Amino acid sequence: MFTRNRVVAAPVEVGRAHLRRNRGRVRAALVNAGNANCATGAAGITVAEQSCTALGAALEAAPQFIIPSSTGIIGVPLPVEKLLAAVPAVVVERTCSVDALKAFATAIMTTDTRMKLASAEFAVGKKTVRIAGVCKGSGMIHPNMATMLVYLFTDLDAEPKELKAALKTAVDTTFNAISVDGDTSTNDTVLLLASGASKVKFAASGVAKKFAEALRGVCASLAEQVVRDGEGAQHLVRLQISGAKSVGEARTIARSIANSPLVKTAWAGCDPNWDAFSHPSARAEWRWIRGRSISSSACTGVQKGCGAPL
């Protein structure tokens, strides 16, 4: 899954093209931090393709089986020579270990203040299926993903279409339901890779449900870590909307509240000003006031449509 921005970076364009060509079969992800390779014109596309060709050759795979990702400053040419020079050592030194996963999580950080990792596992008979996730992101965070790169790895044996459906469901209620500053990005990428090493089939009885629950748990943990590490963030706030006519209406109301500067000022100042919450709710065209309630933590500002004493 990629950003929904109309303006996208070169690696997103190349990644989309590669997924169409490889039909969801991916050999590796190539990630760099410090330069987003965005607003770099045709040269940016060439750089992304050259890097995929180099890694593909080292892994004895065609370029379309490599997905590129970049994060960092935009509008500056990406020095491809640095990527190409690093490929041989990266391939030779690759290992399957917790330390390697932590090194990867650290390497892709930009304004992040900490690495972001999450994992889960579940049993299927005598076998165990594992999921590990790595994420970077702290600024330009808004629903419809954010300035995030997310890589999810599992040893489940699954087909691309099975993984795609499971990923969409997990992302919808996690990465697509967070906000820090209300801005989206040009480079957002969420990639789910399955090795099949567990020998457990996605289609086996009960596996799909267990996998969906475990995957959502990993994504939810990573999404919360992004918000906790948000640039300038001092609070983690969860919005719970009830009484809406539909999930879509609830999302509209929640996003209107979450992205309101007035509401964020109230949270930052630890001021339970329910009036700040009512205006963005009304802006979302929700007829909330009659019989509705608004509360923040232990404080109730509106109770059954009327202001409550604080």
Side-chain angles (χ1 to χ4, degrees):
M1 297 180 69
F2 298 99
T3 180
R4 294 181 182 177
N5 254 19
R6 292 186 178 181
V7 178
V8 301
V12 171
E13 291 191 47
V14 172
R16 284 173 172 166
H18 283 189
L19 284 176
R20 286 193 294 269
R21 292 176 63 189
N22 64 35
R23 298 183 180 181
R25 303 287 178 179
V26 176
R27 179 67 187 278
L30 176 60
V31 190
N32 75 272
N35 187 307
N37 192 15
C38 178
T40 49
I45 299 293
T46 299
V47 165
E49 291 177 337
Q50 285 178 338
S51 62
C52 291
T53 297
L55 181 57
L59 294 174
E60 298 182 350
Q64 65 262 30
F65 294 101
I66 311 299
I67 302 299
S69 295
S70 299
T71 180
I73 59 174
I74 69 173
V76 177
L78 176 62
V80 69
E81 63 276 4
K82 291 186 177 181
L83 282 179
L84 300 183
V87 166
V90 168
V91 172
V92 171
E93 296 172 4
R94 72 188 190 277
T95 59
C96 181
S97 67
V98 174
D99 287 341
L101 195 64
K102 289 181 177 179
F104 176 49
T106 302
I108 64 176
M109 291 167 51
T110 51
T111 58
D112 306 68
T113 64
R114 68 200 74 152
M115 64 179 178
K116 300 172 178 69
L117 298 165
S119 63
E121 62 180 41
F122 60 91
V124 180
K126 295 182 179 181
K127 298 178 180 178
T128 301
V129 175
R130 297 175 175 84
I131 305 174
V134 177
C135 176
K136 68 79 52 185
S138 61
M140 295 175 70
I141 304 299
H142 182 64
N144 291 340
M145 297 199 297
T147 304
M148 298 184 306
L149 299 181
V150 183
Y151 305 94
L152 303 159
F153 309 97
T154 180
D155 54 9
L156 182 66
D157 186 352
E159 293 298 314
K161 64 179 181 180
E162 296 169 334
L163 296 175
K164 183 178 180 179
L167 182 62
K168 184 180 184 304
T169 299
V171 168
D172 193 45
T173 58
T174 56
F175 296 116
N176 279 349
I178 61 174
S179 181
V180 172
D181 48 27
D183 288 319
T184 55
S185 169
T186 55
N187 292 63
D188 307 329
T189 299
V190 179
L191 189 64
L192 172 59
L193 302 175
S195 68
S198 69
K199 305 300 182 183
V200 175
K201 294 281 189 180
F202 181 95
S205 178
V207 172
K209 182 178 180 181
K210 289 183 177 181
F211 180 70
E213 292 173 350
L215 180 62
R216 189 193 180 284
V218 170
C219 290
S221 174
L222 293 172
E224 181 172 309
Q225 290 177 56
V226 169
V227 177
R228 286 188 182 277
D229 195 31
E231 293 176 358
Q234 297 176 315
H235 306 283
L236 174 68
V237 179
R238 293 183 177 87
L239 292 177
Q240 187 172 17
I241 308 298
S242 60
K245 294 180 180 179
S246 65
V247 173
E249 184 181 70
R251 284 182 179 273
T252 299
I253 296 164
R255 290 176 179 177
S256 183
I257 293 172
N259 294 313
S260 165
L262 190 63
V263 171
K264 291 182 179 181
T265 299
W267 282 329
C270 300
D271 176 16
N273 176 13
W274 66 265
D275 186 43
F277 297 82
S278 67
H279 288 292
S281 298
R283 186 173 68 249
E285 299 182 357
W286 183 41
R287 298 179 180 276
W288 63 269
I289 197 65
R290 292 185 179 179
R292 303 295 186 181
S293 300
I294 296 177
S295 61
S296 176
S297 297
C299 300
T300 299
V302 178
Q303 190 167 27
K304 296 183 178 179
C306 299
L310 299 178

